[in-house]
């Protein structure tokens, strides 16, 4: 069985729309396509021009899924592509520049698109910096909210970098900083790690930059490792391949103060509610990293 969906002047055939992708919840491929069609106006601008890692689950999330970098031969030629270097050759990534592409990917059982932090035209120069706030084993989300607020204050009030926040649809939050693409990944990663170190040093009982799980204790991990070439982060409005079909969703900073906030606040079943407000409508403009680097250096010198 197939159904036809028309968008942007293209007609897509959705194969096996009745295929159940989330067995515990009963969500089908048709439900996934409907979600991505509903959020496309908000989501596509967050994806446009960015190479994607495709998390595909053709047998449902309980089956053997896989991560796909290279565009398969059967993808239609109207889907945009970017051939980028890797250590021993190149990778041809898919770009999602329109709604038709987003729905085609959903038809391919791409449950979750993960995006580059840079665009394909300047892949070594990110326009997003991301801090992944990873809670301890206890899953204390109150600690995640506290860490997000502390990071927001450090970035904005002390370093002059406004930030955005979103749920990941998993356990934590992502705090993102829009950048002007002036700095290469090496500089961005170094800055992110140095900022995380400052925050962890201020709150050593709650926060850490220790990558080894067995050394973190009950502290939240300030993960900055995604700030590197060809690393990806879950895209806003993406569905996660987890029971309940949670959605990675933009938040306002006021949302972070809500004690009832959870990392799975939005799901595939609540897409309509997710779209009632637009938390990133007044997103801050992109900033240069250089002034923040200098402020951070002065800040660290003042604490020595």
């Amino acid at each position: 069985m197939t159904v036809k969906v028309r968008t942007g002047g293209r007609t897509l055939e959705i194969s096996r729309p009745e295929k159940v992708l989330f067995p515990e919840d009963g969500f089908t491929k048709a439900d996934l396509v409907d979600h991505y069609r509903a959020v496309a106006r908000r989501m596509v601008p967050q994806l446009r021009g960015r190479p994607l890692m495709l998390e595909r689950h053709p047998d449902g999330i309980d089956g053997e899924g896989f991560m796909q970098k290279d565009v398969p031969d059967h993808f239609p030629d109207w889907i945009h592509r970017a051939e980028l270097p890797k250590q021993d050759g190149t990778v041809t990534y898919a770009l999602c520049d329109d709604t038709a592409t987003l729905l085609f990917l959903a038809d391919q059982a791409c449950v979750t698109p993960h995006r580059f932090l840079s665009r394909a035209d300047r892949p070594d120069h990110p326009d997003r910096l991301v801090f992944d706030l990873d809670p301890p084993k206890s899953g204390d989300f109150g600690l995640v909210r506290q860490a997000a607020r502390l990071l927001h204050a450090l970035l904005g009030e002390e370093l002059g970098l406004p930030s955005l926040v979103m749920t990941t649809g998993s356990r934590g939050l992502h705090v993102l900083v829009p950048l002007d693409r002036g700095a290469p990944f090496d500089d961005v990663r170094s800055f992110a790690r140095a900022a995380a170190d400052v925050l962890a040093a201020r709150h050593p009982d709650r926060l850490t930059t220790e990558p080894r799980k067995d050394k973190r204790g009950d502290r939240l991990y300030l993960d900055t490792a995604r700030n590197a070439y060809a690393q990806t982060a879950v895209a806003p409005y993406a569905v996660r391949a987890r029971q309940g079909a949670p959605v990675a969703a933009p938040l306002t900073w006021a949302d972070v103060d809500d004690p009832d906030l959870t990392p799975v606040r939005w799901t595939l079943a609540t897409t309509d509610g997710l779209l009632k407000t637009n938390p990133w409508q007044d997103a801050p403009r992109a900033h240069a990293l250089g002034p923040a680097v200098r402020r951070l250096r002065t800040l660290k010198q003042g604490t020595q």
Side-chain angles (χ1 to χ4, degrees), residues 205-225:
D205 57 329
R206 289 182 280 173
L207 309 177
T208 182
T209 56
E210 172 55 59
R212 291 182 56 177
K213 291 184 178 181
D214 60 350
K215 291 189 175 183
R216 296 178 197 167
D218 285 331
R219 296 175 295 175
L220 177 141
Y221 177 42
L222 298 167
D223 186 359
T224 60

Side-chain angles (χ1 to χ4, degrees), residues 7-8 10 12 14 36 40 44 47-48 50 52 54 71 75-81 93-108 110 113:
T7 182
R10 301 191 185 279
L12 305 179
I14 307 301
Y36 281 124
V44 170
L47 299 176
R48 189 173 288 125
R50 299 178 186 278
L52 298 180
L54 309 178
V71 174
F75 273 34
D77 58 9
W78 50 263
I79 289 182
H80 296 169
R81 296 157 166 81
Y93 294 92
L95 307 178
C96 184
D97 292 340
D98 52 37
T99 300
T101 300
L102 186 59
L103 301 191
F104 177 85
L105 296 178
D107 177 54
Q108 298 297 301
C110 174

Side-chain angles (χ1 to χ4, degrees), residues 16 19-23 56-66 109:
R16 301 184 65 193
K19 171 68 178 177
V20 175
L21 298 181
F22 294 81
R56 297 177 60 188
H57 294 267
D59 297 319
I61 65 168
D62 289 348
E64 187 174 348
F66 58 96

Side-chain angles (χ1 to χ4, degrees), residues 20-80:
V20 175
L21 298 181
F22 294 81
E24 293 292 324
D25 308 285
F27 295 130
T28 65
K29 187 193 288 188
D31 294 323
L32 186 71
V33 171
D34 287 346
H35 167 82
Y36 281 124
R37 190 173 194 180
V39 302
R41 183 173 294 182
R42 301 247 187 104
M43 186 174 186
V44 170
Q46 300 291 335
L47 299 176
R48 189 173 288 125
R50 299 178 186 278
L52 298 180
M53 178 92 75
L54 309 178
E55 183 180 347
R56 297 177 60 188
H57 294 267
D59 297 319
I61 65 168
D62 289 348
E64 187 174 348
F66 58 96
M67 305 293 285
Q68 187 163 48
K69 295 181 181 180
D70 270 301
V71 174
D73 292 339
H74 69 271
F75 273 34
D77 58 9
W78 50 263
I79 289 182
H80 296 169

Side-chain angles (χ1 to χ4, degrees), residues 80-125:
H80 296 169
R81 296 157 166 81
E83 185 176 0
L84 299 178
K86 64 176 182 177
Q87 187 171 4
D88 56 351
T90 63
V91 176
T92 300
Y93 294 92
L95 307 178
C96 184
D97 292 340
D98 52 37
T99 300
T101 300
L102 186 59
L103 301 191
F104 177 85
L105 296 178
D107 177 54
Q108 298 297 301
C110 174
V111 173
T112 314
H114 301 261
R115 63 177 185 168
F116 268 40
L117 299 175
S118 58
R119 299 182 186 273
D121 60 337
R122 296 187 72 191
D124 292 314
H125 287 70

Side-chain angles (χ1 to χ4, degrees), residues 120-168:
D121 60 337
R122 296 187 72 191
D124 292 314
H125 287 70
D127 64 352
R128 291 289 185 274
L129 181 160
V130 62
F131 295 87
D132 183 4
L133 308 186
D134 188 9
K137 289 182 180 179
S138 65
D140 182 357
F141 197 67
L143 179 56
V144 178
R145 293 191 301 107
Q146 292 173 22
R149 266 301 182 187
L150 291 169
L151 184 57
H152 177 59
L154 172 65
L155 292 169
E157 296 172 13
E158 298 185 69
L159 301 178
L161 290 177
S163 57
L164 299 164
V165 62
M166 61 179 278
T167 65
T168 64

Side-chain angles (χ1 to χ4, degrees), residues 29 37 58 75 114 123 161 171 189 199 234 256 284 295:
K29 187 193 288 188
R37 190 173 194 180
F75 273 34
H114 301 261
L161 290 177
R171 300 175 68 240
R189 184 172 62 252
L199 204 60
V234 64
V256 177
R295 292 187 185 104

